[in-house]
């Protein structure tokens, strides 16, 4: 079951890479603007923003399938503060935990009582991308985002290009970072697809979102199928949320791992990025 935690971590790392932020280049569409079309785009964008709503905490449990292996899991997130993923393959017993904060990533293996830790600042120094924390939270929630922004608002409308073929439409950020292109496939108010990667490079992240529900005023997918592709390897995972709660009191706990032996995560990360 350690393999499941490692593969999930690999997908997270590649997701962080796609959610990078760096020097920005702006591309624009040249042409005569159709006022009616622009109004339709504004309507769709506003309805989407309202439907997803703002959030502070998110707690979900369910099952995850990674490389043919199934396990129960629990996901906890505090907006802009922390992500905790607990892997519980048998009778709800936790065997591994991943904790991500804006400062570091930690993988705790209860079987071997070891902790693999990487400071995010060290990742930014040693890897060819900057790590964005808020974007990975959006990936787990199936929410649209702008690289480097904590949460999109109505004021961000002019930062996107739109292609509308109702009820489906595509939303593509005008701003790119280090030749990274990404898009959101939409159906009505729901994000059904996230696809992004570096132009001319095989490294990319593709997510399919389905079976959306509205939970206390928040649209959220209950099925997420993600594929993260590195230069030579590809990792796939399917998440199935069976229990979801927004904005309840929750906490992230790493205190029980204080006596674990600690090792660097850099070798592990490098193996995933190949």
């Amino acid at each position: 079951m350690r393999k499941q935690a490692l593969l999930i971590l690999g997908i997270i790392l590649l997701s962080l890479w796609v959610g990078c932020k760096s020097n920005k280049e702006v591309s624009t569409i040249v042409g005569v603007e159709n006022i009616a079309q622009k109004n339709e785009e504004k309507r769709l964008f506003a309805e989407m923003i309202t439907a997803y709503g703002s959030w502070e905490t998110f707690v979900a449990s369910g099952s995850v399938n990674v490389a043919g292996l199934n396990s129960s899991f629990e996901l906890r997130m505090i907006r802009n503060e922390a992500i905790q993923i607990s892997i519980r393959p048998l009778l709800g017993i936790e065997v591994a935990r991943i904790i991500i904060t804006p400062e570091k990533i930690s993988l705790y293996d209860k079987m071997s009582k070891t902790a693999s830790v990487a400071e995010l600042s060290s990742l930014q120094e040693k890897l060819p991308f900057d790590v964005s924390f808020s974007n990975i939270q959006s990936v787990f929630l199936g929410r649209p985002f702008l690289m480097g922004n904590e949460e999109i608002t109505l004021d961000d409308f002019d930062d996107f290009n739109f292609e509308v073929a109702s009820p489906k439409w595509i939303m593509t950020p005008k701003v790119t970072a280090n030749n990274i292109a990404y898009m959101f496939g939409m159906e009505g108010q729901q994000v059904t697809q996230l696809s992004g990667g570096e132009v001319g490079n095989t490294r990319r992240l593709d997510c399919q979102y389905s079976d959306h529900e509205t939970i206390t005023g928040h649209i959220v997918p209950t099925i997420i199928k993600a594929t993260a592709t590195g230069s030579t390897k590809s990792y796939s995972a399917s998440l199935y949320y069976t229990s979801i709660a927004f904005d309840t009191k929750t906490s992230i706990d790493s205190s029980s791992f204080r006596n674990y032996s600690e090792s660097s995560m850099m070798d592990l990360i490098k193996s995933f990025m190949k």
Side-chain angles (χ1 to χ4, degrees):
M1 296 306 169
R2 172 181 168 84
K3 182 179 179 181
Q4 288 176 309
L6 293 177
L7 288 173
I8 291 172
L9 179 60
I11 291 173
I12 291 170
L13 292 169
L14 285 168
S15 301
L16 289 169
W17 172 79
V18 171
C20 72
K21 53 182 179 179
S22 187
N23 297 327
K24 296 181 179 179
E25 301 171 355
V26 180
S27 60
T28 59
I29 291 181
V30 178
V32 178
E33 185 172 83
N34 184 300
I35 295 177
Q37 177 179 330
K38 182 61 65 175
N39 288 337
E40 174 67 1
E41 293 167 357
K42 287 182 177 179
R43 180 187 69 81
L44 290 169
F45 189 78
E47 289 181 353
M48 180 268 296
I49 293 291
T50 300
Y52 277 89
S54 186
W55 68 284
E56 294 301 324
T57 66
F58 176 78
V59 178
S61 59
S63 62
V64 57
N65 182 289
V66 182
L69 300 174
N70 291 293
S71 176
S72 297
F73 77 96
E74 183 190 63
L75 169 66
R76 299 183 187 182
M77 297 197 297
I78 301 174
R79 188 165 73 94
N80 298 329
E81 292 185 17
I83 300 170
Q84 175 178 294
I85 304 171
S86 175
I87 308 300
R88 302 175 175 182
L90 184 64
L91 300 177
I93 300 173
E94 184 182 51
V95 299
R97 185 181 300 182
I98 300 168
I99 296 179
I100 308 173
T101 70
E103 291 75 37
K104 65 181 179 180
I105 303 176
S106 305
L107 169 61
Y108 301 100
D109 183 348
K110 285 193 168 184
M111 305 298 288
S112 63
K113 294 190 180 299
T114 58
S116 300
V117 180
E119 299 293 331
L120 293 197
S121 59
S122 68
L123 297 186
Q124 292 171 344
E125 293 172 359
K126 297 180 181 180
L127 297 177
F129 54 87
D130 293 334
V131 177
S132 174
F133 178 78
S134 61
N135 294 162
I136 193 61
Q137 291 191 317
S138 295
V139 170
F140 277 112
L141 293 170
R143 300 169 67 97
F145 58 83
L146 280 169
M147 289 182 179
N149 285 22
E150 292 182 358
E151 189 173 85
I152 63 171
T153 68
L154 290 174
D155 293 335
D156 297 313
F157 173 79
D158 289 330
D159 292 324
F160 289 91
N161 291 323
F162 299 87
E163 298 176 34
V164 179
S166 186
K168 296 184 178 182
W169 50 295
I170 294 173
M171 193 167 68
T172 306
K174 295 177 181 178
V175 176
T176 62
N178 280 356
N179 210 29
I180 302 294
Y182 62 110
M183 56 78 70
F184 300 95
M186 313 289 298
E187 186 163 351
Q189 300 170 345
Q190 301 171 353
V191 176
T192 58
Q193 179 185 6
L194 161 63
S195 182
E198 184 178 5
V199 177
N201 194 300
T202 58
R203 289 186 296 187
R204 62 182 298 105
L205 173 70
D206 294 286
C207 294
Q208 302 293 327
Y209 300 102
S210 60
D211 290 39
H212 294 73
E213 294 184 5
T214 300
I215 309 293
T216 58
H218 305 274
I219 286 183
V220 61
T222 59
I223 299 177
I224 303 174
K225 295 185 177 182
T227 300
T229 305
S231 298
T232 61
K233 298 179 182 180
S234 180
Y235 308 94
S236 295
S238 297
L239 295 178
Y240 302 89
Y241 295 146
T242 56
S243 174
I244 296 171
F246 279 95
D247 300 332
T248 58
K249 186 177 181 180
T250 188
S251 61
I252 306 297
D253 180 28
S254 60
S255 59
S256 58
F257 306 109
R258 288 174 181 169
N259 295 324
Y260 278 34
S261 58
E262 189 170 308
S263 61
S264 171
M265 194 182 288
M266 286 310 302
D267 290 340
L268 178 64
I269 290 171
K270 289 175 182 177
S271 70
F272 279 116
M273 299 307 297
K274 291 180 180 178

